Structures are given as structure tokens and as C-alpha cells.
Amino acid sequence: MKFEDYHISAEIKKSLAKLDFKKPTDIQYKAIPPILKGEDVLAIAQTGTGKTAAFVIPILHLLNEQKKNRKRPGIKCVVMAPTHELAIQINGVFQEIGKFSRIKTLALFGGTDQAPQIEKLSAGIDVLVATPGRLFDLRSQGHIDLHAVEILVLDEADHMLDLGFIKDIEDLIRYLPRKRQTLFFSATLNEKIKKLAYSLVHNAIRIQVSPKDPVSKNILHSLLFVEMDDKRFFLERIIGENADKKMIVFVRTKVRAERVMAAMQRVNIKTVTIHSGKDHQERAAVMKKFRAGEEMILIATDVSARGIDLPDVDLVINYDLPDVAENYVHRIGRTGRGMSKGQALSFCSTEEKGMLTEIENYMGKTIEVIELGRELYQETLDFTKNENNTTWRDIQKELDMAEAELKKKRKKKK
Ligand code: AMP
């Protein structure tokens, strides 16, 4: 079935055609009809499956048709998201798909000045995409009236629980009309999430996308056994051999992110980092450049990259395996999004083999191992472009100094 055949407003079909969205993805195929009918939905779907448009398309249709009939004004839909970045991203999808509609949307998040947000709110908003904290604050201050809300969306609910937003969510729900449509999206489902979900949805339609294989079929993912101290050489080589490719390199901690960036700098490879040690503005600036292709290599931690849609990422490199098995799926889901194909490669050192087993158990399948052989492995270590007689020990010293400097800076900031 094509979008052309759906019973959705012509304005929305027009923007879908512009975006080159021809056919619905699996989650869209399953979620759009019940949402259009006004049913509650409980969907288990990872980012990269097209889940945002799965709720944005029917919500825009419902509200747009309603607006044509001049129903009373007010905020009609609230979308709660765990992070600034995700709120901005979801709002972007509403604006893109709703470009020709009459629906006005706004992203609300903390860490920035309230005044411009309040000004936009007073101009009249139909859809509010917000992080729970700022939404709660502005409601308490009387800038947000939630009485007219008809649809509530919780996106990345599992991540919201991880971040400790449960109290904010529960508090906010009390201010929403009881009679409403609730759409609950989560990448994973455990007892805690189920409990939250069932306290919010009623007779929900349950949708699960590829439950047995959480990794999108569009992603080719494999693994290299690389010792910890050798990882930088392998990264250097991979970047060198994929010069025109956009990549995200995942590392375990923010300190490691800066270290890997410094190591790449030594061999004249320019990278940028994103992690929780950077403030909102810095993170937004990095994301903007990476999205625009001005920066091609982004080094990221799990926290900073969760849920973020970065189009055109050709390659994901797990420089370190994640601490939590399911994050493997989130990480490699940064590539192969929507209908496009992607590639992911993980480095696994001897110390990380236990984690590899956990990841494979979580996915219920093994990751294909690329067998290098001793010769190729050694060739990679010799491949380094560092030819100015500095030993890696010297470099290590410098890296340690850079790290100490960073720590000092952070202390000062506090
Ligand atoms: P999401 O899972 O919502 O983060 O979406 C992942 C990516 O899929 C985004 O870059 C969307 O633009 C893209 N996408 C969503 N739906 C479709 C579709 N029906 N056809 C092609 N691309 C899509």
C-alpha cells in the first residue's frame, strides 16, 4: 500500500511526496490506521524504523481536519520526549510533514531562555513537543493550558524512565483530560515500562516491530577482535579507507571521546565529539554541522546520541562495546534508517568478550566476525600516518596531559 492510497489530508500527502516517502515502513503500516481511528497504541519500535512519522502523520491529519471545522483553539496534542535533541527532532518531523497544513507546533525544552518559548506559546500552538521538566515548569507558571489536549504521545518511554522522569510524567498526566487518546512508544519493554504503559493506555492496540530481530534488516553489522591499545590504529585505517563516508564512532565515556578525538588529530584526522560534558548549545552546533555534512566523523557517547535521527550516516563504529546490551541495537540503528542501507562495525577487545556474549544473547543471534589474521592485523598497526618520529608512548603522554587539562576545565566549570 502506498501513502497515496491512505485516507489522509491532501496537504500531508503533498509533503510526504516531497520527502520522497512513498510507502509506509512496517511500524507506519501497523500504527497509522488505529491512530486515525482514535485508538490507544502501545508500540515497541526502535528509532530508525520510521516510528516518528508513524504518529506524526495520523496526528497531523486528525488535527488538520479538525481545524478546518474550526473547533475551539488550544493545545490539542502533547508529545513528551526524553531529551532536547529528540524534542527538536520530533518537532522538525511535525513541521516537515505538516508544512502545508494549518497545524502549529513548538518544541519546549529546558536549559534555554523561557521568554521566547512563552511568546510562541501565547501565539497559539496545536502540538507541543516537550521534555517533561520544562513542560512541568511552564504549566506551573500558568503559561500552558492542557485542558484541550486530546492526544498524548510518550516517545522513547524506556529512556524517560532511565533518566528518572517518571515523577514528572505522573505529575503531568494529572493535568491532562482523562478522556484522551494515548500513544506510547518505547524501544524496549520490561516490567517497569509495562506498568507505566498500562497506567496510561486503555484497550491499546499493541504493535511490535521485528520482535525477534531488533536490528533493522537494512544494517550490515560485523565485528573485529581488536585489542584495546590497538583500536586507534584500526579507526585511523577505517577512516582513511572510507574518506567520503559519514560516520559515528561510539565510545564508552566522555573522557574517551576526547581521547579518541585527540588521537585522530595526531594523524591529521578531523573529528568532532558529542557527550554530556558539553552544554546544549555546543551539542546543537556539533549536530548541525554533522547533519549538514560539514563534519563527517562524530565521536559520541550513548547518552548523547540516544534517539537522535541523523540522516545519511553510512557507517557506525563501536570503538568500545556499550555497557548495556540493548544500546548495541540503538547505536547501530543510527545507520540504515528508513529505507536506506547502513553498515556497522564493532571493535571487541579481550576485556569486552563478556559484553559481546551479553549483546548476542540479547539479540538472539551472533554478530558476524571479520577474520583478519595476524598479517593483516599487523599491517593495520603499521599503517599509521604518524611518521614524525614520535612514539606512541610520547603521544600517550600528551593525551594524558590533554585529559588532565579537560578534567581541570570541568572542575572549574562546576
Ligand atoms: P525514526 O525511526 O522516526 O527516527 O525515522 C528514521 C528515518 O526514516 C528518518 O530519517 C525518516 O526520515 C525516515 N523515514 C520515515 N518514514 C519513512 C518512509 N515511509 N519512507 C522513507 N523514509 C522514511
Side-chain angles (χ1 to χ4, degrees):
M1 188 156 167
K2 292 184 180 156
F3 280 123
E4 283 166 27
D5 308 321
Y6 275 69
H7 287 289
I8 47 176
S9 322
E11 294 93 321
I12 294 166
K13 284 187 182 171
K14 190 172 159 189
S15 47
L16 290 176
K18 272 209 152 174
L19 288 167
D20 209 23
F21 286 12
K22 296 188 179 82
K23 280 191 325 198
T25 64
D26 196 11
I27 179 80
Q28 290 161 5
Y29 179 74
K30 289 172 178 159
I32 293 174
I35 300 176
L36 285 175
K37 276 194 214 148
E39 314 242 31
D40 280 6
V41 163
L42 167 54
I44 307 301
Q46 286 80 32
T47 45
T49 53
K51 71 178 171 70
T52 318
F55 62 82
V56 168
I57 293 170
I59 290 174
L60 279 172
H61 168 80
L62 291 171
L63 299 186
N64 196 44
E65 291 306 303
Q66 200 184 73
K67 219 170 178 180
K68 285 181 190 164
N69 299 327
R70 294 178 201 279
K71 240 191 138 184
R72 72 190 162 107
I75 298 167
K76 291 284 154 53
C77 169
V78 169
V79 181
M80 284 198 220
T83 59
H84 304 167
E85 284 87 356
L86 195 58
I88 293 172
Q89 184 180 303
I90 297 168
N91 190 49
V93 177
F94 267 107
Q95 287 180 339
E96 255 182 335
I97 300 181
K99 198 169 165 187
F100 305 107
S101 76
R102 306 173 179 206
I103 302 306
K104 286 195 189 140
T105 69
L106 176 66
L108 266 192
F109 43 84
T112 51
D113 191 9
Q114 287 191 1
Q117 297 181 344
I118 294 169
E119 198 176 311
K120 283 190 186 133
L121 277 167
S122 59
I125 290 296
D126 302 293
V127 178
L128 201 54
V129 186
T131 52
R134 180 55 63 96
L135 179 58
F136 188 78
D137 290 347
L138 290 181
R139 200 221 64 86
S140 312
Q141 294 167 32
H143 296 297
I144 295 176
D145 181 355
L146 297 174
H147 285 102
V149 171
E150 293 171 8
I151 307 172
L152 167 69
V153 183
L154 265 97
D155 195 19
E156 301 253 332
D158 48 350
H159 195 200
M160 286 209 253
L161 287 187
D162 289 346
L163 293 176
F165 284 141
I166 181 89
K167 178 94 180 38
D168 282 330
I169 296 170
E170 284 170 353
D171 286 346
L172 274 165
I173 301 297
R174 287 193 281 124
Y175 297 105
L176 295 175
R178 266 172 187 269
K179 198 174 160 294
R180 57 161 198 268
Q181 185 178 14
T182 303
L183 313 174
F184 189 100
F185 285 78
S186 179
T188 53
L189 190 67
N190 60 29
E191 283 312 310
K192 244 167 91 183
I193 295 155
K194 262 190 208 163
K195 207 173 140 212
L196 174 68
Y198 286 115
S199 72
L200 296 174
V201 297
H202 299 287
N203 298 326
I205 306 290
R206 273 189 65 158
I207 298 170
Q208 195 150 0
V209 186
S210 311
K212 291 216 179 61
D213 184 4
V215 177
S216 157
K217 289 178 190 67
N218 296 343
I219 305 170
L220 210 72
H221 58 125
S222 47
L223 182 115
L224 266 180
F225 286 112
V226 181
E227 290 316 323
M228 211 45 114
D229 291 343
D230 300 336
K231 286 183 175 181
R232 69 185 61 157
F233 301 104
F234 280 82
L235 181 61
E236 179 189 345
R237 181 163 192 174
I238 290 165
I239 293 174
E241 287 175 355
N242 294 277
D244 53 340
K245 295 216 172 119
K246 215 176 189 186
M247 30 182 129
I248 307 186
V249 179
F250 278 103
V251 291
R252 238 184 37 248
T253 63
K254 52 190 168 191
V255 172
R256 276 181 73 72
E258 293 299 320
R259 277 181 94 142
V260 176
M261 179 168 80
M264 289 305 111
Q265 232 160 18
R266 298 291 320 185
V267 289
N268 297 321
I269 292 175
K270 189 161 181 302
T271 62
V272 282
T273 60
I274 179 164
H275 50 69
S276 57
K278 296 197 158 178
D279 66 24
H280 172 62
Q281 265 173 343
E282 286 172 308
R283 280 155 66 166
V286 166
M287 285 304 206
K288 198 170 162 202
K289 282 192 175 160
F290 186 66
R291 278 206 172 92
E294 288 165 35
E295 295 290 350
M296 295 293 275
I297 303 156
L298 177 69
I299 302 174
T301 55
D302 288 304
V303 178
S304 60
R306 187 70 201 264
I308 298 303
D309 179 36
L310 292 166
D312 323 318
V313 174
D314 304 296
L315 183 59
V316 167
I317 299 190
N318 286 318
Y319 192 84
D320 300 317
L321 288 185
D323 286 334
V324 181
E326 68 186 60
N327 281 351
Y328 177 81
V329 177
H330 296 310
R331 284 177 174 192
I332 68 171
R334 310 294 97 216
T335 181
R337 301 177 74 75
M339 301 288 179
S340 60
K341 298 255 179 271
Q343 229 183 326
L345 179 67
S346 303
F347 295 166
C348 176
S349 67
T350 309
E351 301 91 310
E352 292 174 302
K353 283 190 175 160
M355 196 60 226
L356 174 62
T357 312
E358 276 187 43
I359 292 168
E360 292 184 330
N361 286 344
Y362 173 77
M363 293 192 301
K365 55 161 64 176
T366 53
I367 305 171
E368 193 193 314
V369 176
I370 301 176
E371 300 287 353
L372 274 184
R374 273 171 88 164
E375 226 168 84
L376 256 175
Y377 194 104
Q378 190 54 44
E379 189 189 297
T380 305
L381 303 191
D382 299 338
F383 171 88
T384 180
K385 292 279 179 346
N386 169 47
E387 282 157 359
N388 41 4
N389 289 335
T390 27
T391 65
W392 274 102
R393 193 168 297 171
D394 294 331
I395 293 171
Q396 187 59 52
K397 231 193 234 160
E398 279 187 42
L399 290 178
D400 288 342
M401 273 161 59
E403 195 179 318
E405 193 65 31
L406 191 82
K407 274 189 188 152
K408 234 171 45 198
K409 254 195 201 161
R410 271 211 311 275
K411 244 190 187 165
K412 244 190 192 167
K413 238 185 178 177
K414 274 182 195 163

